[in-house]
């Protein structure tokens, strides 16, 4: 898959991610504090919820790489962490959100997403 095609696929998955997070009321209009975003911990788990990290760190970073026409990371496993973190959101049904994360991981890890 060409870089341009991979970028288009990732953009599609990021749009689906935002739509699913919005549907679950997990997409926020207010960003976390600069202090929270300055964390050096993996996934900023000491200062952000996982869904906040997705919105305020992963999505902007991937969009910046796409805008710069740069190669994307090839080792992504957000789905596994999502399964763990989103299990705490019951009774919300996060299955569609997890499916988006799985497609995003696959697109980043292999250069193509399953449809």
């Amino acid at each position: 898959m060409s870089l341009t095609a991979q970028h288009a696929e990732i953009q599609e998955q990021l749009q689906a991610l935002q739509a699913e997070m919005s549907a679950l009321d997990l997409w926020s209009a207010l960003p976390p504090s600069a202090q929270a975003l300055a964390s050096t911990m993996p996934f900023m788990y000491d200062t952000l919820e996982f869904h906040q990290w997705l919105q305020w760190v992963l999505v902007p970073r991937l969009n910046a790489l796409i805008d710069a026409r740069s190669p994307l990371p090839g080792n992504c496993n957000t789905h596994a962490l999502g399964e763990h973190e989103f299990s705490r959101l019951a009774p919300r049904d996060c299955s569609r959100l997890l499916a988006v994360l799985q497609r995003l991981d696959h697109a980043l890890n292999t250069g193509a997403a399953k449809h």
Side-chain angles (χ1 to χ4, degrees):
M1 173 179 280
S2 72
L3 188 60
T4 302
Q6 184 188 28
H7 284 173
E9 178 63 32
I10 298 301
Q11 280 185 315
E12 182 181 317
Q13 298 309 321
L14 293 177
Q15 290 169 351
L17 179 65
Q18 180 177 350
E20 289 302 324
M21 288 177 60
S22 294
L24 293 167
D25 199 27
L26 296 175
W27 194 265
S28 175
L30 299 173
S33 70
Q35 181 180 7
L37 291 170
S39 171
T40 59
M41 301 300 281
F43 301 100
M44 299 180 180
Y45 71 84
D46 60 332
T47 59
L48 299 178
E49 295 290 326
F50 181 60
H51 66 275
Q52 292 174 307
W53 179 84
L54 290 170
Q55 179 181 354
W56 299 105
V57 179
L58 181 69
V59 170
R61 286 183 184 172
L62 290 177
N63 279 325
L65 290 171
I66 291 168
D67 290 346
R69 298 177 185 226
S70 297
L72 298 168
N75 185 14
C76 191
N77 196 12
T78 61
H79 178 262
L81 187 53
E83 280 186 315
H84 173 74
E85 291 297 317
F86 296 147
S87 66
R88 298 179 300 141
L89 298 177
R92 293 181 192 168
D93 179 5
C94 295
S95 60
R96 289 172 52 140
L97 176 56
L98 289 169
V100 171
L101 291 177
Q102 191 168 39
R103 289 192 307 269
L104 180 62
D105 287 349
H106 187 268
L108 288 167
N109 295 339
T110 65
K114 294 179 185 175
H115 289 284

